Amino acid sequence: MKKSKFGMYSLAIGAFALAITGCGGKKEESSEPAAPAANAPAAKTVDPATAGEVTGSVKLDGAAPKTRTINMAVEPACAKAHTSPATIEEVVTGDGGALANVVVYVKSGLEGYSFPAPAAPVKLEQLGCQFRPHVVGLQVGQTIEVINSDRTTHNIHPIPAQNREWNLSQPPGAAPIEKSFAREEIAIPVKCNVHPWMRAYMAVLPNAYFQVTAQDGAFDLKSLPPGTYTLVAWHELYGTSEQTVTIGPKESKSVTFTFKATAAAGD
């Protein structure tokens, strides 16, 4: 029996569609998360009844480099926001060599635990043509809220190696910029393309156990489950230092990180 021209045409169209599908036609990715495997173990949770803590301090061994001032003559409004000349904040020390702006965090030992991103955002303010704070820590997936409190336009430009880069202008009085990062990265440098002296760092952590030191150099990682941990201290100029610590149920341990002052961190 002879097939009609219409039937032959329909068969040809169907064959062409199958050929496209079979030869690498790209399927659209689903926006829905993949269902967990049926035999995947449940994430461990921290038992407050047995949790301990690691406290300590970060110090600089040797003389800190000379403080460098910032010339803000091009932005009189920002210059007026400072009662004394603004300074570059690469190395900030306190009494006894205490070192500020150090990210102390748990690198390993928490495998199997789950740490959802906090709902509250972390804030990064632009005030007096400087980022405040100079170093900020947040969890993977947590929102960072960037605020412009100056009477001039800024440009916020994080330069990550493991996350998506973004570069946004923010005029005076503009709404906060809200972003998040999908992967761990310590730390992401942030600059302002308008004001070259403005620099900050965003440390993106996979868990809740981290702290950025203030001028007293102290840190306190609370509610750690019993275990053995690798702790890391990161500083923008002095790099990283690691220590291993083991805590038992309800136990508290103290750790001191010491960075050597070097000529590389100077003039």
Side-chain angles (χ1 to χ4, degrees):
M1 181 175 170
K2 194 182 240 184
K3 293 184 181 179
S4 68
K5 289 184 180 180
F6 178 80
M8 294 178 67
Y9 179 78
S10 299
L11 288 172
I13 292 294
F16 179 71
L18 286 172
I20 291 177
T21 304
C23 295
K26 190 174 181 181
K27 289 170 65 178
E28 186 177 347
E29 293 183 2
S30 171
S31 59
E32 294 295 324
N39 59 350
K44 294 187 288 186
T45 57
V46 178
D47 180 2
T50 61
E53 66 179 329
V54 177
T55 63
S57 61
V58 184
K59 299 181 181 297
L60 182 66
D61 181 11
K66 293 179 181 178
T67 300
R68 294 182 291 164
T69 59
I70 302 170
N71 183 356
M72 293 187 180
V74 295
E75 286 288 0
C78 288
K80 290 178 182 178
H82 299 272
T83 56
S84 58
T87 59
I88 299 291
E89 297 182 318
E90 288 176 328
V91 180
V92 177
T93 56
D95 295 340
L99 188 59
N101 294 326
V102 177
V103 184
V104 180
Y105 64 97
V106 173
K107 176 182 178 182
S108 66
L110 290 166
E111 293 75 17
Y113 288 89
S114 176
F115 299 97
V122 170
K123 297 183 185 296
L124 180 65
E125 184 181 19
Q126 297 156 108
L127 180 63
C129 284
Q130 289 185 289
F131 287 112
R132 303 289 183 192
H134 180 63
V135 178
V136 64
L138 65 155
Q139 276 186 240
V140 170
Q142 186 175 12
T143 298
I144 184 157
E145 187 178 83
V146 186
I147 302 164
N148 184 1
S149 297
D150 287 326
R151 298 176 63 185
T152 187
T153 296
H154 289 299
N155 180 268
I156 304 89
H157 187 184
I159 311 171
Q162 306 299 327
N163 286 279
R164 180 174 296 178
E165 182 175 353
W166 47 274
N167 183 3
L168 295 173
S169 179
Q170 191 175 40
I177 294 171
E178 296 184 344
K179 292 285 184 179
S180 63
F181 296 98
R183 285 168 286 279
E184 174 185 0
E185 190 164 351
I186 306 161
I188 300 172
V190 185
K191 66 178 182 177
C192 171
N193 293 342
V194 180
H195 307 103
W197 63 81
M198 290 181 66
R199 184 164 286 267
Y201 291 89
M202 299 176 180
V204 186
L205 288 303
N207 59 62
Y209 298 98
F210 63 88
Q211 193 168 2
V212 180
T213 61
Q215 202 162 352
D216 62 359
F219 64 88
D220 188 354
L221 306 180
K222 299 178 181 292
S223 300
L224 268 169
T228 298
Y229 301 100
T230 300
L231 301 184
V232 178
W234 173 93
H235 186 269
E236 64 183 277
L237 286 186
Y238 299 119
T240 60
S241 177
E242 294 190 4
Q243 291 195 43
T244 300
V245 61
T246 299
I247 59 170
K250 303 296 289 184
E251 188 176 16
S252 178
K253 290 280 184 75
S254 181
V255 174
T256 300
F257 287 97
T258 303
F259 288 97
K260 295 282 187 181
T262 63
D267 302 334

